[in-house]
Amino acid sequence: MRRQTGHSSAGIEAQARDNVARLLQTRYEAMNWVRRGVCLLNAAKFDEAADAFALARQLGSTDQSLPAYVSASLLGRGQAGAAAEQFARLAADMPGDTANRIRHALALWTDGRADEAIDALRAAVRDNPECAEVHFQLGTILAALERYEEAELRFTQAISIDRTHAQSLVSLALCCAVRESPAEALTHLQRAQAHRPHDANIGWLLANAAKAAQQRGLSVRMKPALVPHDSPEDRAGIEELSRIIEAEPDFVDAFLSIRNDAVDDGVFAMLLSTLQAALERQPEHAELHYHCGRVLDRLGRRGDAIDENEKAVALDPTFTRALIELGKLYHATDRTADATTRLEQAIKNGAEYADVYFLLGNLYRDQGRVGQAKSAYRRALALNAHYEAAQKALAELIV
């Protein structure tokens, strides 16, 4: 099972691949600024920390997992991490119709009907007093109306129900700042940062709260949570991204086009998990095996990369991209005869590309098959008259 493709990726345009590469590089740059901000917090350099977090915010820092972030971006949802997280919480954690009642109240608020929105949320609190999200949403509207005292009570109640509710911790901290209590604000923000260390906005607020407390003559001691490196183990994100790549495997090209120094191996470990998840559903999908092999090669696992590409060719013996990949992998592992066979098969199946003939010419030359090497180089030059490496190789053989 495979869509027909040429030597280069035809499934998505170069611009789409560039967009994926750019979003990944931007995310890594943002995370690097967040990590720098945390280090500066540890060093009590609060002004510099605030600047670092501000740069991360400008880049669009998100605390979504890497696969979830990429999935959202590829689906055109952008960096909707907060909204996605909130609605996932509503869908998963709330009994009955509480989620719908919150949505209704927020719609009323958006429509300018603040009193009705508050009444709706108060009713929801009466019916479901142990729901942290209802208290949080009510507190948010009250704070927007500058009714800070009651808003603070709502945020406090939300946290007593769910100690990990980072948004309530942040909102409570802001209420404390309004009543000029920077020490309390700092405490709440430190707790929020511990739950969401990737979040540049929380880091920025924490740095500014620390600076304000210090300016008030308070002793500021903190040990912010370190930002963990991305793990490929976000199963929900992996599942969603795997379905995107299953439908359009050539998105893998976007990842593999990224420079080695732009991202760490975590990106490719995540991509490997994604492809493996897709292959669990479609083990007969030759193109997924091919892309899996390319990712394995990027991770330095050439033996496994060969195995995956051989599976692709076993499923589709005419799969020229996999045959070419095998030729390159065998050549890199000094299996000259195997490399030659696979490239000859690729050409037989239509891989009329100058670089393929050039590589085949090198293989023939290394085996002492000079006549065939000359023919391969000449064919490469017929396809690309300006192929300098082929010109040089042919000239060396003629001499």
Side-chain angles (χ1 to χ4, degrees):
M1 177 179 178
R2 179 180 66 86
R3 293 178 294 101
Q4 292 298 318
T5 57
H7 180 44
S8 62
S9 171
I12 56 175
E13 298 177 355
Q15 183 178 359
R17 294 198 300 274
D18 289 344
N19 288 341
V20 176
R22 186 161 48 252
L23 75 89
L24 284 170
Q25 290 170 8
T26 298
R27 184 182 193 273
Y28 268 77
E29 187 177 351
M31 286 300 100
N32 285 337
W33 279 114
V34 171
R35 291 188 175 93
R36 179 173 175 79
V38 169
C39 291
L40 290 166
L41 283 177
N42 266 316
K45 296 181 178 180
F46 303 129
D47 279 322
E48 294 176 56
D51 290 342
F53 288 122
L55 285 168
R57 292 169 77 196
Q58 291 173 16
L59 289 165
S61 174
T62 170
D63 67 342
Q64 287 175 291
S65 72
L66 181 59
Y69 170 76
V70 174
S71 298
S73 300
L74 293 183
L75 288 174
R77 295 200 302 268
Q79 297 174 33
E85 179 182 340
Q86 178 174 323
F87 284 108
R89 185 198 301 268
L90 296 180
D93 297 342
M94 294 186 187
D97 65 346
T98 305
N100 289 330
R101 295 174 72 175
I102 289 176
R103 291 189 183 98
H104 173 63
L106 295 178
L108 291 169
W109 167 252
T110 302
D111 196 40
R113 298 153 67 183
D115 289 340
E116 292 178 65
I118 290 172
D119 288 343
L121 287 171
R122 289 194 195 285
V125 166
R126 284 195 300 272
D127 294 339
N128 191 6
E130 295 304 310
C131 177
E133 191 69 25
V134 181
H135 290 281
F136 167 73
Q137 296 293 347
L138 178 54
T140 299
I141 291 178
L142 291 166
L145 296 171
E146 299 185 359
R147 294 162 62 174
Y148 297 114
E149 186 173 347
E150 185 182 356
E152 187 170 338
L153 291 173
R154 293 300 174 182
F155 296 135
T156 301
Q157 184 63 25
I159 295 163
S160 71
I161 296 168
D162 179 1
R163 295 174 61 84
T164 68
H165 201 294
Q167 291 169 297
S168 291
L169 286 163
V170 170
S171 296
L172 181 56
L174 294 176
C175 287
C176 293
V178 168
R179 60 178 169 82
E180 299 185 356
S181 181
E184 288 184 64
L186 192 60
T187 298
H188 299 311
L189 286 169
Q190 287 188 81
R191 288 178 58 193
Q193 193 270 342
H195 293 302
R196 293 169 70 163
H198 285 95
D199 194 315
N201 187 57
I202 292 176
W204 181 80
L205 291 169
L206 179 57
N208 281 288
K211 182 169 63 173
Q214 198 173 58
Q215 289 171 347
R216 295 278 292 270
L218 301 175
S219 176
V220 177
R221 293 178 179 272
M222 66 171 70
K223 190 173 183 180
L226 298 177
V227 181
H229 287 277
D230 285 305
S231 168
E233 299 307 317
D234 169 26
R235 298 314 305 172
I238 288 289
E239 177 69 14
E240 183 171 8
L241 183 56
S242 74
R243 292 190 182 278
I244 295 171
I245 288 179
E246 183 180 318
E248 183 47 88
D250 286 335
F251 269 125
V252 176
D253 288 336
F255 291 88
L256 294 174
S257 69
I258 301 170
R259 303 187 320 274
N260 285 331
D261 61 347
V263 296
D264 60 32
D265 283 348
V267 169
F268 301 104
M270 176 274 293
L271 187 55
L272 179 61
S273 296
T274 300
L275 286 162
Q276 289 170 336
L279 280 166
E280 287 178 7
R281 293 190 300 272
Q282 292 207 55
E284 303 303 307
H285 197 308
E287 195 164 359
L288 288 174
H289 283 289
Y290 159 72
H291 284 300
C292 189
R294 295 175 69 213
V295 174
L296 285 162
D297 183 40
R298 183 69 177 257
L299 288 167
R301 296 168 56 182
R302 281 186 173 155
D304 293 329
I306 288 172
D307 290 343
E308 287 298 324
N309 278 285
E310 287 290 3
K311 289 176 184 176
V313 170
L315 289 165
D316 182 357
T318 68
F319 192 171
T320 57
R321 295 174 74 190
L323 288 165
I324 293 167
E325 188 71 11
L326 281 169
K328 294 176 179 178
L329 288 166
Y330 283 135
H331 182 240
T333 52
D334 298 322
R335 294 172 61 177
T336 304
D338 290 328
T340 303
T341 298
R342 287 312 193 188
L343 290 182
E344 288 173 340
Q345 290 172 335
I347 290 170
K348 182 179 179 181
N349 284 290
E352 289 285 317
Y353 310 117
D355 58 338
V356 174
Y357 276 103
F358 173 69
L359 180 55
L360 184 58
N362 291 342
L363 292 167
Y364 285 145
R365 179 198 61 200
D366 294 345
Q367 296 171 82
R369 298 158 67 176
V370 176
Q372 289 171 290
K374 290 179 181 178
S375 296
Y377 291 141
R378 289 191 178 106
R379 183 58 184 154
L381 289 168
L383 292 165
N384 179 2
H386 304 289
Y387 201 150
E388 293 183 2
Q391 291 173 347
K392 180 180 178 182
L394 179 60
E396 289 175 350
L397 286 181
I398 291 175
V399 170

